[in-house]
mmCIF file of all heavy atoms in Angstrom:
data_model
loop_
_atom_site.group_PDB
_atom_site.id
_atom_site.type_symbol
_atom_site.label_atom_id
_atom_site.label_comp_id
_atom_site.label_asym_id
_atom_site.label_seq_id
_atom_site.Cartn_x
_atom_site.Cartn_y
_atom_site.Cartn_z
ATOM 1 N N ILE A 72 115.970 129.799 154.293
ATOM 2 C CA ILE A 72 116.169 130.871 153.316
ATOM 3 C C ILE A 72 116.646 132.140 154.012
ATOM 4 O O ILE A 72 117.586 132.808 153.554
ATOM 5 C CB ILE A 72 114.866 131.141 152.537
ATOM 6 C CG1 ILE A 72 114.568 129.973 151.595
ATOM 7 C CG2 ILE A 72 114.957 132.452 151.744
ATOM 8 C CD1 ILE A 72 113.193 130.015 150.967
ATOM 9 N N ARG A 73 116.026 132.484 155.132
ATOM 10 C CA ARG A 73 116.439 133.683 155.863
ATOM 11 C C ARG A 73 117.899 133.581 156.300
ATOM 12 O O ARG A 73 118.662 134.551 156.200
ATOM 13 C CB ARG A 73 115.542 133.887 157.082
ATOM 14 C CG ARG A 73 114.131 134.341 156.739
ATOM 15 C CD ARG A 73 113.279 134.414 157.979
ATOM 16 N NE ARG A 73 111.969 134.968 157.701
ATOM 17 C CZ ARG A 73 110.989 135.026 158.588
ATOM 18 N NH1 ARG A 73 111.178 134.544 159.810
ATOM 19 N NH2 ARG A 73 109.815 135.545 158.262
ATOM 20 N N ARG A 74 118.300 132.400 156.811
ATOM 21 C CA ARG A 74 119.698 132.212 157.242
ATOM 22 C C ARG A 74 120.657 132.376 156.076
ATOM 23 O O ARG A 74 121.710 133.024 156.202
ATOM 24 C CB ARG A 74 119.863 130.829 157.878
ATOM 25 C CG ARG A 74 119.366 130.715 159.309
ATOM 26 C CD ARG A 74 119.844 129.417 159.956
ATOM 27 N NE ARG A 74 119.214 128.260 159.336
ATOM 28 C CZ ARG A 74 118.077 127.705 159.763
ATOM 29 N NH1 ARG A 74 117.454 128.212 160.806
ATOM 30 N NH2 ARG A 74 117.585 126.643 159.159
ATOM 31 N N LYS A 75 120.312 131.783 154.937
ATOM 32 C CA LYS A 75 121.194 131.854 153.767
ATOM 33 C C LYS A 75 121.327 133.291 153.268
ATOM 34 O O LYS A 75 122.418 133.735 152.894
ATOM 35 C CB LYS A 75 120.664 130.953 152.650
ATOM 36 C CG LYS A 75 120.797 129.461 152.948
ATOM 37 C CD LYS A 75 120.247 128.625 151.814
ATOM 38 C CE LYS A 75 120.267 127.133 152.142
ATOM 39 N NZ LYS A 75 121.626 126.608 152.400
ATOM 40 N N VAL A 76 120.216 134.027 153.242
ATOM 41 C CA VAL A 76 120.268 135.413 152.768
ATOM 42 C C VAL A 76 121.078 136.279 153.734
ATOM 43 O O VAL A 76 121.904 137.107 153.307
ATOM 44 C CB VAL A 76 118.845 135.981 152.588
ATOM 45 C CG1 VAL A 76 118.896 137.488 152.299
ATOM 46 C CG2 VAL A 76 118.126 135.262 151.447
ATOM 47 N N LEU A 77 120.879 136.091 155.033
ATOM 48 C CA LEU A 77 121.657 136.853 156.007
ATOM 49 C C LEU A 77 123.140 136.523 155.901
ATOM 50 O O LEU A 77 123.996 137.411 156.019
ATOM 51 C CB LEU A 77 121.150 136.567 157.421
ATOM 52 C CG LEU A 77 119.811 137.209 157.795
ATOM 53 C CD1 LEU A 77 119.378 136.747 159.184
ATOM 54 C CD2 LEU A 77 119.905 138.723 157.753
ATOM 55 N N GLU A 78 123.457 135.257 155.692
ATOM 56 C CA GLU A 78 124.849 134.858 155.508
ATOM 57 C C GLU A 78 125.429 135.506 154.255
ATOM 58 O O GLU A 78 126.574 135.971 154.260
ATOM 59 C CB GLU A 78 124.949 133.334 155.408
ATOM 60 C CG GLU A 78 126.377 132.815 155.378
ATOM 61 C CD GLU A 78 126.447 131.290 155.353
ATOM 62 O OE1 GLU A 78 125.403 130.633 155.556
ATOM 63 O OE2 GLU A 78 127.550 130.773 155.100
ATOM 64 N N TYR A 79 124.625 135.573 153.193
ATOM 65 C CA TYR A 79 125.068 136.223 151.956
ATOM 66 C C TYR A 79 125.357 137.708 152.217
ATOM 67 O O TYR A 79 126.376 138.235 151.772
ATOM 68 C CB TYR A 79 123.984 136.069 150.892
ATOM 69 C CG TYR A 79 124.115 137.018 149.726
ATOM 70 C CD1 TYR A 79 125.107 136.848 148.774
ATOM 71 C CD2 TYR A 79 123.232 138.088 149.592
ATOM 72 C CE1 TYR A 79 125.232 137.729 147.702
ATOM 73 C CE2 TYR A 79 123.342 138.974 148.529
ATOM 74 C CZ TYR A 79 124.342 138.793 147.586
ATOM 75 O OH TYR A 79 124.456 139.677 146.531
ATOM 76 N N PHE A 80 124.463 138.380 152.943
ATOM 77 C CA PHE A 80 124.663 139.797 153.250
ATOM 78 C C PHE A 80 125.948 140.012 154.058
ATOM 79 O O PHE A 80 126.689 140.978 153.808
ATOM 80 C CB PHE A 80 123.478 140.352 154.052
ATOM 81 C CG PHE A 80 122.231 140.584 153.240
ATOM 82 C CD1 PHE A 80 120.989 140.620 153.861
ATOM 83 C CD2 PHE A 80 122.284 140.789 151.878
ATOM 84 C CE1 PHE A 80 119.833 140.847 153.138
ATOM 85 C CE2 PHE A 80 121.140 141.014 151.131
ATOM 86 C CZ PHE A 80 119.899 141.044 151.768
ATOM 87 N N SER A 81 126.207 139.134 155.011
ATOM 88 C CA SER A 81 127.348 139.321 155.913
ATOM 89 C C SER A 81 128.681 138.938 155.275
ATOM 90 O O SER A 81 129.733 139.475 155.650
ATOM 91 C CB SER A 81 127.142 138.515 157.200
ATOM 92 O OG SER A 81 127.122 137.131 156.916
ATOM 93 N N MET A 82 128.655 138.024 154.301
ATOM 94 C CA MET A 82 129.900 137.517 153.724
ATOM 95 C C MET A 82 130.278 138.175 152.402
ATOM 96 O O MET A 82 131.402 137.992 151.927
ATOM 97 C CB MET A 82 129.790 136.002 153.502
ATOM 98 C CG MET A 82 129.664 135.192 154.776
ATOM 99 S SD MET A 82 129.493 133.424 154.428
ATOM 100 C CE MET A 82 131.020 133.088 153.549
ATOM 101 N N THR A 83 129.373 138.937 151.810
ATOM 102 C CA THR A 83 129.621 139.510 150.492
ATOM 103 C C THR A 83 130.047 140.964 150.615
ATOM 104 O O THR A 83 129.422 141.741 151.354
ATOM 105 C CB THR A 83 128.350 139.411 149.623
ATOM 106 O OG1 THR A 83 127.894 138.057 149.629
ATOM 107 C CG2 THR A 83 128.635 139.851 148.189
ATOM 108 N N THR A 84 131.079 141.323 149.883
ATOM 109 C CA THR A 84 131.614 142.683 149.960
ATOM 110 C C THR A 84 130.594 143.719 149.501
ATOM 111 O O THR A 84 130.377 144.737 150.153
ATOM 112 C CB THR A 84 132.888 142.808 149.103
ATOM 113 O OG1 THR A 84 133.824 141.811 149.506
ATOM 114 C CG2 THR A 84 133.499 144.198 149.255
ATOM 115 N N ALA A 85 129.955 143.458 148.368
ATOM 116 C CA ALA A 85 128.940 144.377 147.852
ATOM 117 C C ALA A 85 127.685 143.570 147.518
ATOM 118 O O ALA A 85 127.420 143.271 146.342
ATOM 119 C CB ALA A 85 129.461 145.114 146.615
ATOM 120 N N PRO A 86 126.915 143.193 148.531
ATOM 121 C CA PRO A 86 125.756 142.322 148.295
ATOM 122 C C PRO A 86 124.650 143.026 147.510
ATOM 123 O O PRO A 86 124.503 144.249 147.571
ATOM 124 C CB PRO A 86 125.282 141.976 149.705
ATOM 125 C CG PRO A 86 125.738 143.119 150.548
ATOM 126 C CD PRO A 86 127.050 143.550 149.956
ATOM 127 N N ASN A 87 123.886 142.242 146.775
ATOM 128 C CA ASN A 87 122.711 142.750 146.075
ATOM 129 C C ASN A 87 121.534 142.646 147.052
ATOM 130 O O ASN A 87 120.915 141.605 147.188
ATOM 131 C CB ASN A 87 122.444 141.920 144.817
ATOM 132 C CG ASN A 87 121.299 142.464 143.987
ATOM 133 O OD1 ASN A 87 120.297 142.917 144.515
ATOM 134 N ND2 ASN A 87 121.440 142.412 142.674
ATOM 135 N N TYR A 88 121.276 143.749 147.757
ATOM 136 C CA TYR A 88 120.234 143.724 148.789
ATOM 137 C C TYR A 88 118.850 143.479 148.189
ATOM 138 O O TYR A 88 118.001 142.826 148.811
ATOM 139 C CB TYR A 88 120.246 145.028 149.582
ATOM 140 C CG TYR A 88 121.453 145.147 150.488
ATOM 141 C CD1 TYR A 88 122.511 146.005 150.177
ATOM 142 C CD2 TYR A 88 121.540 144.386 151.653
ATOM 143 C CE1 TYR A 88 123.624 146.108 151.004
ATOM 144 C CE2 TYR A 88 122.654 144.483 152.490
ATOM 145 C CZ TYR A 88 123.676 145.341 152.157
ATOM 146 O OH TYR A 88 124.777 145.430 152.977
ATOM 147 N N PHE A 89 118.613 144.004 147.001
ATOM 148 C CA PHE A 89 117.311 143.800 146.364
ATOM 149 C C PHE A 89 117.036 142.315 146.170
ATOM 150 O O PHE A 89 115.953 141.819 146.502
ATOM 151 C CB PHE A 89 117.262 144.533 145.011
ATOM 152 C CG PHE A 89 116.012 144.254 144.223
ATOM 153 C CD1 PHE A 89 114.792 144.762 144.630
ATOM 154 C CD2 PHE A 89 116.061 143.454 143.084
ATOM 155 C CE1 PHE A 89 113.634 144.488 143.905
ATOM 156 C CE2 PHE A 89 114.919 143.183 142.362
ATOM 157 C CZ PHE A 89 113.693 143.704 142.771
ATOM 158 N N ALA A 90 118.026 141.580 145.669
ATOM 159 C CA ALA A 90 117.842 140.151 145.428
ATOM 160 C C ALA A 90 117.543 139.410 146.727
ATOM 161 O O ALA A 90 116.622 138.591 146.799
ATOM 162 C CB ALA A 90 119.088 139.569 144.764
#
Side-chain angles (χ1 to χ4, degrees):
I72 290 170
R73 288 175 174 173
R74 281 193 292 268
K75 290 180 185 299
V76 171
L77 286 175
E78 187 177 350
Y79 163 73
F80 285 157
S81 64
M82 295 178 60
T83 307
T84 305
N87 185 321
Y88 289 106
F89 174 71

